[in-house]
Amino acid sequence: MSVFGFGKSDLPRIKALSPKRSRVISVLDVGSEKISCLIARLRPRIAGEMLPERTHAIEVIGVGHHRSRGIKAGAVVDIAAAEMAIRQCVDAAERMAGLTVESLIVSLTAGRLKSVRRRAETDVVGEVSVADLSRVSDRAAKMPLDEGRIALHSTVYDIQLDDDSGLDNPVGMSGERLSANLHALTAEIAPLRNLEAAINRAQLVVEAFVATPYASALATMVEDEAQMGSACIDMGSGATTIAIFHNGRFVYADQIALGGANITMDLARGLSISPADAERIKVMHGSTLAELLDDSGEPIMVQPLGETGDAHPIVVKRSLVTKIIRPRVEETLELVRDRLNASGLGHVIGKRVVLTGGASQLAGLAETARTVLQRNVRLGRPLGVTGLNPSSKGPGFSTSVGLLIYPQVAHREYLAERSIAAQAIEKAMEGGRFGSWLRRAL
């Protein structure tokens, strides 16, 4: 069964968690460098231990990760290779957890993510009713999207009654004009369908898609940061994504098609070595702070590109590695800075930025980000879960952990209710002669 329905302008949302029941969920983070699968048990917290929007404690019981194949910048480029990598990743998590996975919450980076902010108004007679609030939210959500795009997330982030804004729940309040501001994060449909097809070929079902920047922010931002306004920058292998939160709500997202893989290829080309050797040098010796490095100490020895194992290795200076890495990092951060300024929410973010993702672990990157962005930058690691081994607690697993947190906040998203007639027609179109005729007629 596909998450895409005929004529839908947004994707279905997962059901809200019961505050009294435990549940096992499985998530899949599909990246350009690695694919990660986590299986976790969510147990209700006792009333005295409940945190805002965190009704359940998360215990990871299964972990699997595999080198990404057939995926580039989060999009499927070889469906057979992607299917095999997904199978092997999920199988490793299943063996550790001792159970079988049927459905998954899946991260999404592809699809040219784009934020759209909408505003709708309605007249109120006397006190605001639940119907008034639903009507104005529905109007905001139903504004048309660009052709070929679908809404991943829709969140009402500000409600206004006459001249009073920032209301959480205006039901029962008196006024004449009710307004709602809604943030919709949209994506192109084709890359989503291809990713779902690869997962379906692995005999798995997509329960929901969650945008990578949203998931990473959920895992790394603390409550005060999300409430006061902050940006989360996830530097992955194939892309760098941006998420902005304000008043505890997800209000903006963007992405840049540059990431850790670009740094690796710069090293491979600049030093004339293989990408595998370039990745090893980046991880072990890479830095963005030239002033902290000199060429003393143990030299870096690496095999020249195309040479056999008995060829004489070349000596690479650490200062040269830094000179190759730093310009690409600065370019990426300058693009992030420009996107933050263009969002119109620079005043919301203030001086607070959380940096996460696998590529964020490069030595000196946080300091360089502070200089380029002119903001306070901290390195964000996934928070609020137990059961992870030390190798899975780093910034590279922020998206995976955010996917585990997502079911607790999914109820905040707005989903327009469809009429019984619309649901009946959609069901009829799933098959049979009437469905075939109706498709042709429409």
Side-chain angles (χ1 to χ4, degrees), residues 4 11 108 110 150 152 187-196 209:
F4 298 94
L11 294 178
L108 181 75
I150 196 165
L152 280 176
E188 294 175 349
I189 297 177
L192 274 75
R193 289 187 182 276
N194 291 331
L195 180 54
E196 185 186 39
F209 281 112

Side-chain angles (χ1 to χ4, degrees), residues 96-316:
M96 181 175 175
L99 51 80
T100 301
V101 170
E102 296 180 353
S103 63
L104 297 151
I105 299 173
V106 182
S107 69
L108 181 75
T109 306
R112 301 180 186 273
L113 302 179
K114 180 182 178 182
S115 279
V116 179
R117 279 173 277 178
R118 302 156 162 179
R119 180 181 174 86
E121 298 181 344
T122 188
D123 292 325
V124 176
V125 178
E127 295 182 351
V128 177
S129 66
V130 174
D132 291 329
L133 186 58
S134 178
R135 182 168 61 253
V136 73
S137 300
D138 194 48
R139 286 180 181 177
K142 284 186 175 179
M143 291 181 182
L145 301 175
D146 293 339
E147 186 176 356
R149 299 187 70 85
I150 196 165
L152 280 176
H153 306 288
S154 298
T155 307
V156 175
Y157 64 90
D158 184 37
I159 300 173
Q160 182 175 342
L161 183 60
D162 295 337
D163 295 329
D164 296 329
S165 61
L167 304 178
D168 291 329
N169 184 10
V171 174
M173 298 174 64
S174 298
E176 297 180 353
R177 195 72 175 166
L178 183 66
S179 306
N181 292 294
L182 181 138
H183 167 232
L185 181 60
T186 69
E188 294 175 349
I189 297 177
L192 274 75
R193 289 187 182 276
N194 291 331
L195 180 54
E196 185 186 39
I199 294 170
N200 290 162
R201 285 169 58 124
Q203 305 301 312
L204 297 162
V205 175
V206 177
E207 189 173 355
F209 281 112
V210 181
T212 292
Y214 187 24
S216 296
L218 289 175
T220 57
M221 277 190 186
V222 298
E223 180 192 352
D224 288 343
E225 288 173 329
Q227 194 67 34
M228 295 175 63
S230 299
C232 177
I233 301 169
D234 185 318
M235 299 187 71
S237 175
T240 297
T241 62
I242 304 165
I244 297 177
F245 272 62
H246 182 51
N247 291 332
R249 295 293 184 265
F250 179 42
V251 296
Y252 182 82
D254 205 341
Q255 70 179 57
I256 298 162
L258 291 175
N262 298 91
I263 299 173
T264 300
M265 292 309 298
D266 287 347
L267 284 171
R269 294 188 181 100
L271 302 176
S272 190
I273 59 177
S274 70
D277 286 334
E279 178 69 19
R280 178 179 60 82
I281 289 176
K282 182 185 75 174
V283 172
M284 298 181 64
H285 307 286
S287 173
T288 64
L289 300 177
E291 61 270 20
L292 297 183
L293 292 176
D294 54 39
D295 293 322
S296 61
E298 193 72 21
I300 303 172
M301 311 294 290
V302 63
Q303 196 74 19
L305 185 64
E307 298 289 344
T308 59
D310 57 356
H312 187 68
I314 60 174
V315 178
V316 177

Side-chain angles (χ1 to χ4, degrees), residues 14-36:
I14 62 177
K15 293 181 179 179
L17 293 176
S18 169
K20 297 182 180 180
R21 292 184 179 179
S22 297
R23 182 185 172 189
V24 174
I25 64 171
S26 305
V27 302
L28 188 71
D29 177 22
V30 182
S32 302
E33 183 67 26
K34 75 175 188 308
I35 299 175
S36 304

